[in-house]
Amino acid sequence: MAHRVTLLAGDGIGPEVTSAARAVVEATGVTIDWVERDAGRPAIERDGDPLPASVLESIRDTGVALKGPVTTPIGTGFASINVRLRKALDLYASVRPIRSLPGVKTRYGVVDLVIVRENTEGLYSGIENEVVPGVVETLKIVTERACTRIAEFAFALARRDSRRKVSAAHKTSVMPMTDGLFLDRCRRTAARYSDVEYEEVVIDNLCMRLALDPARFDVILLENLYGDIVSDLASGLVGGLGMVPGANIGRDAAVFEAVHGSAPDIAGKNVANPIALILSGVLMLRHLGEYAAAERAMAATLAVLADGRVRTRDLGGSAGTTDVRDAIVARLQTGAG
Ligand code: NAD
């Protein structure tokens, strides 16, 4: 049976990396009925809106999307497309596995952690005001409901994936009410998961410890802005933004995308690393219940990385996006993953 999946190529390097991820997903033999929709710059040109209603309708209909990055136009009045998408579909949990990959030289030994980021509120509420000229404010909205469900999500993920510990990040010394509510919900949830170790770490201290010894972390649970920043920091531990996949999960829909953005500086040059979006495709295959295909795609990707001959320039190589795609597809087709 074919799975229906909405495909958003996005803009910048989006079309290049999504086409690579699509080719790898298809090479696993899983049949996907792709529903292609424009988001980002092509959608502004056609519909005057980077996130037209047709995109949301399609994802509501298929329940699953594979998404390339999109540029947020600055100073044009458009709110971040990603924030709008996550809110509109209530994709409340952002999950980013941070894993060292074979053949990718980093400063660290084995890193294997998961970032779970609350995706719908906090400082991303988009409520900013001018109080009086020269004084502006932005509101950090934190609700019991969102804190409870993201904490529940993180602990359930830890239990399901046999992970030993959840570390919750906070800054209660400065924000006792908002971060305090977040921590309170984490604690209550932790009490129901006695098989999973729980700790609380002040966000600045967490960054220092991550840079010193990332292996001490397992699942890191963060509110929205902390999660955004720590995701990029953690990407740097395993080789950069080109390596880290992501999933945005809600009750009724899931959108799979890389942590990186549209990288306008390298767009259209066939130099972008497609691994992050290919691994997002692997997460998507698992979500669709296609576990064997996901493992094959993962194995083929790891084999190409370990082999080391075909890698993009962010990893010290000179191969193009399409070369990486072709090498992984060839491994899948010959069963040499
Ligand atoms: P970025 O992630 O696009 O790029 C940061 C740096 O990393 C750049 O030097 C870029 O060349 C490099 N890089 C990123 N992805 C790479 C890849 N796959 N291979 C090789 N190098 C890669 O971040 P930015 O420049 O801050 O943002 C550019 C645009 O993307 C902005 O408009 C931003 O709002 C948007 N953005 C979108 C998403 C998304 O759609 N999910 C996420 C983050 C940023």
Side-chain angles (χ1 to χ4, degrees):
M1 198 192 75
H3 300 280
R4 295 182 69 238
V5 172
T6 302
L7 184 68
L8 307 173
D11 60 34
I13 59 170
E16 298 164 72
V17 291
T18 42
S19 116
R22 174 183 180 158
V24 170
V25 167
E26 287 177 350
T28 64
V30 171
T31 316
I32 307 271
D33 180 4
W34 301 101
V35 182
E36 295 185 57
R37 291 285 178 271
D38 284 337
R41 200 159 285 144
I44 298 178
E45 280 156 21
R46 218 190 50 197
D47 302 317
D49 182 354
L51 185 65
S54 59
V55 170
L56 296 175
E57 277 160 24
S58 175
I59 303 175
R60 285 196 183 103
D61 179 40
T62 60
V64 182
L66 184 62
K67 173 183 168 296
V70 285
T71 308
T72 299
I74 308 275
T76 53
F78 287 118
S80 160
I81 301 142
N82 297 306
V83 174
R84 276 175 65 197
L85 182 73
R86 291 165 196 163
K87 280 192 183 160
L89 298 171
D90 201 19
L91 303 172
Y92 67 91
S94 164
V95 183
R96 289 154 171 191
I98 310 282
R99 234 187 108 172
S100 358
L101 296 169
V104 180
K105 235 176 114 205
T106 67
R107 291 165 202 273
Y108 300 92
V110 176
V111 178
D112 178 15
L113 54 90
V114 182
I115 290 183
V116 175
R117 163 186 173 195
E118 202 292 319
N119 228 2
T120 61
E121 56 176 34
L123 280 165
Y124 289 67
S125 57
I127 308 171
E128 286 201 308
N129 303 302
E130 182 176 17
V131 183
V132 290
V135 182
V136 289
E137 66 179 4
T138 189
L139 296 188
K140 175 161 168 164
I141 307 287
V142 177
T143 64
E144 215 173 86
R145 174 173 174 267
C147 295
T148 306
R149 69 181 177 174
I150 196 66
E152 177 62 37
F153 184 96
F155 278 92
L157 177 144
R159 182 177 278 172
R160 187 197 67 199
D161 294 350
S162 305
R163 289 191 169 267
R164 61 180 200 287
K165 183 167 74 174
V166 171
S167 309
H170 68 95
K171 190 80 183 176
T172 45
S173 55
V174 177
M175 285 160 285
M177 287 189 80
T178 47
D179 282 15
L181 176 56
F182 178 78
L183 269 197
D184 174 65
R185 294 296 133 171
C186 293
R187 276 178 204 161
R188 286 171 192 246
T189 310
R192 287 189 290 101
Y193 284 82
S194 51
D195 50 322
V196 180
E197 197 188 319
Y198 171 66
E199 68 172 0
E200 295 165 359
V201 191
V202 177
I203 182 64
D204 31 347
N205 187 15
L206 177 102
C207 293
M208 190 265 293
R209 290 195 199 184
L210 261 178
L212 279 178
D213 181 17
R216 76 176 290 288
F217 292 102
D218 199 346
V219 176
I220 306 181
L221 169 58
L222 311 104
E223 65 81 72
N224 209 340
L225 180 66
Y226 304 153
D228 196 1
I229 296 168
V230 172
S231 294
D232 275 34
L233 189 166
S235 302
L237 305 175
V238 296
L241 283 168
M243 312 302 292
V244 179
N248 299 291
I249 311 279
R251 213 191 55 185
D252 303 319
V255 175
F256 296 83
E257 65 178 340
V259 172
H260 66 71
S262 58
D265 52 331
I266 56 168
K269 297 180 179 161
N270 195 33
V271 297
N273 187 347
I275 299 287
L277 207 73
I278 289 171
L279 294 181
S280 304
V282 170
L283 296 179
M284 182 189 81
L285 284 169
R286 286 197 195 121
H287 177 82
L288 293 171
E290 298 285 358
Y291 299 105
E295 291 331 301
R296 281 201 308 280
M298 185 75 184
T301 306
L302 297 186
V304 168
L305 282 170
D307 177 78
R309 277 176 298 179
V310 184
R311 37 172 82 176
T312 43
R313 71 182 191 195
D314 55 312
L315 298 181
S318 58
T321 312
T322 46
D323 299 322
V324 177
R325 172 198 70 193
D326 293 347
I328 298 172
V329 166
R331 292 252 176 192
L332 278 163
Q333 283 167 347
T334 57

